[in-house]
Amino acid sequence: MHITVIGSGYVGTTIAACFADLGHDVTAIDIDEEIVETLNDGKSPISEPGLDELLETHAGNRLKATTSYDAVPESDVTFLAIGTPSNDDGSIDLGALEAAAEATGEAVADKDERHLVVIKSTVTPPSIETVLEPAVHRGANENENIEVGMNPEFLREGSAVSDFLSPDKLVFGASSEWGTDRLHTVFEPLLEGHDTNVVETDPQTAAMIKYANNAFLASKISLVNDLGNICKEFDLDAYEVMDAIGLDDRISEQFLRSGVGWGGSCFPKDVNAIIAAAREEDYDPAVLEATVEVNDRQPERMLELLEDHVDLEGSRIAVLGLALPC
Ligand SMILES: NC(=O)c1ccc[n+]([C@@H]2O[C@H](COP(=O)([O-])OP(=O)(O)OC[C@H]3O[C@@H](n4cnc5c(N)ncnc54)[C@H](O)[C@@H]3O)[C@@H](O)[C@H]2O)c1
């Protein structure tokens, strides 16, 4: 297959390199000339284990990068991996993604065959119908051959390549059987010989699965931190308590280590975005709001604990495991 990937940031570069490794011809498109040049030199603009090797192998062969959308109509399917940063109220800024969606539509406006435009970016369910599908169709002059799908990405920074190539699940959000089949064809080389769960659904549900996934994990961490704080008050070992509850299959042993809280490029952005989207519908997501509140308080709690053990005045402190806030 020939796949175009629009946006060559964290997600776009990873999936473009991995699609090439799965045997597809890939055109990676970005407006940033420096990124395009780096990719064509076989180097990675981001640091991820295994990514340099994939780019070294496939750049100039199965993977080409460009700033032009010319390859889009020649391709079989297009993935949009454009950033969706947070606004001040927690909602996401769809501006760059909407512009790329419209430009993609324009590129395939005259196409006689069907073309699937797949949203890889994390977007709220209503925005697919209200913003993104209309942008693609507007660009494509309402060409009925163009369909919009959703295939959320669950990769973690630090293990992006292996997460993409060995996923727990794949979520195919399409509005027709043809769209679902096309996504199966894209991922066929990855599914062959692997026992991977595939969820077939509509684009809006696919978008919600991504938010529900991250909201659930963030809430689990906040709950564990809350329980860990209570353990400390009782002078009990929180790790011993968590190890025991992790033996319950319904809870699982993952994400049970109390600590400073969650951060990184996705959890804060995604939890705040789904809270903002729920409020838009006049729903008050009380558990998710508490999840954020506990997380905001947790660094202070760490400092209080530290003060119990060391005199902070003039101390040199090493911090392990830093994640960037979004
Ligand atoms: N970073 C992660 O770990 C992760 C994981 C899963 C999902 N996501 C989601 O995936 C999406 C992309 O995230 P990212 O971290 O890769 O973003 P990013 O900011 O690293 O990359 C976006 C890229 O898009 C390019 N771009 C912007 N407008 C363009 C246009 N019109 N045409 C072509 N290229 C354009 C930018 O130059 C940039 O290189 C977001 O919605 C994010 O929430 C991210």
Side-chain angles (χ1 to χ4, degrees):
M1 270 190 137
H2 179 184
I3 297 174
T4 36
V5 177
I6 306 201
S8 305
Y10 216 96
V11 172
T13 296
T14 305
I15 69 169
C18 289
F19 280 144
D21 203 51
L22 292 175
H24 296 303
D25 286 320
V26 181
T27 306
I29 298 170
D30 203 288
I31 47 173
D32 187 324
E33 285 179 14
E34 216 177 304
I35 290 181
V36 166
E37 213 172 294
T38 306
L39 287 175
N40 283 330
D41 284 345
K43 297 194 184 97
S44 174
I46 58 160
S47 172
E48 272 297 327
L51 196 51
D52 278 327
E53 290 81 350
L54 291 187
L55 290 168
E56 211 178 297
T57 308
H58 300 299
N61 303 308
R62 286 210 287 266
L63 174 64
K64 296 188 175 79
T66 172
T67 54
S68 152
Y69 278 58
D70 286 354
V72 175
E74 293 154 24
S75 66
D76 301 294
V77 53
T78 302
F79 283 81
L80 290 172
I82 306 288
T84 47
S86 296
N87 292 316
D88 288 345
D89 65 354
S91 64
I92 48 171
D93 179 354
L94 288 165
L97 179 59
E98 184 180 5
E102 187 161 351
T104 304
E106 282 166 15
V108 290
D110 296 328
K111 210 167 164 176
D112 295 327
E113 306 97 64
R114 293 178 86 170
H115 189 93
L116 186 65
V117 179
V118 185
I119 299 161
K120 242 315 171 194
S121 304
T122 303
V123 297
T124 53
S127 66
I128 295 177
E129 253 175 2
T130 58
V131 180
L132 300 169
E133 269 178 346
V136 172
H137 292 311
R138 190 167 64 240
N141 276 332
E142 310 302 328
N143 180 343
E144 288 179 0
N145 289 317
I146 314 307
E147 185 176 316
V148 176
M150 174 83 206
N151 169 230
E153 185 51 60
F154 299 94
L155 58 80
R156 292 164 300 175
E157 294 186 357
S159 54
V161 171
S162 59
D163 284 349
F164 183 87
L165 294 173
S166 311
D168 293 332
K169 61 180 174 292
L170 289 169
V171 179
F172 295 165
S175 36
S176 74
E177 211 178 309
W178 172 83
T180 307
D181 286 350
R182 188 125 281 219
L183 283 165
H184 269 284
T185 311
V186 169
F187 286 94
E188 202 171 78
L190 192 152
L191 291 167
E192 267 168 18
H194 289 91
D195 197 14
T196 307
N197 293 306
V198 177
V199 179
E200 294 176 6
T201 184
D202 58 87
Q204 288 78 10
T205 307
M208 188 63 199
I209 289 169
K210 168 72 186 179
Y211 279 110
N213 214 101
N214 277 356
F216 194 95
L217 292 174
S219 299
K220 187 171 181 183
I221 297 170
S222 281
L223 176 60
V224 164
N225 281 335
D226 224 11
L227 292 169
N229 294 342
I230 297 170
C231 285
K232 276 271 173 243
E233 295 300 326
F234 294 159
D235 219 8
L236 297 174
D237 181 348
Y239 288 175
E240 192 184 341
V241 173
M242 292 307 147
D243 284 346
I245 69 167
L247 298 172
D248 188 324
D249 284 346
R250 295 166 302 175
I251 294 174
S252 110
E253 61 187 12
Q254 307 259 334
F255 278 55
L256 288 185
R257 282 281 174 265
S258 48
V260 77
W262 38 270
S265 64
C266 285
F267 279 10
K269 177 166 94 72
D270 293 353
V271 176
N272 285 316
I274 200 63
I275 288 174
R279 285 185 187 143
E280 275 282 302
E281 304 297 322
D282 287 331
Y283 178 75
D284 179 26
V287 172
L288 292 181
E289 281 162 359
T291 290
V292 174
E293 194 196 323
V294 168
N295 199 56
D296 288 346
R297 283 198 321 231
Q298 196 63 10
E300 294 294 330
R301 176 79 190 149
M302 291 290 107
L303 287 177
E304 282 164 29
L305 289 176
L306 202 59
E307 269 167 346
D308 289 345
H309 295 281
V310 281
D311 180 7
L312 290 179
E313 194 70 40
S315 292
R316 293 177 70 205
I317 297 168
V319 182
L320 299 177
L322 283 179
L324 292 173
C326 63

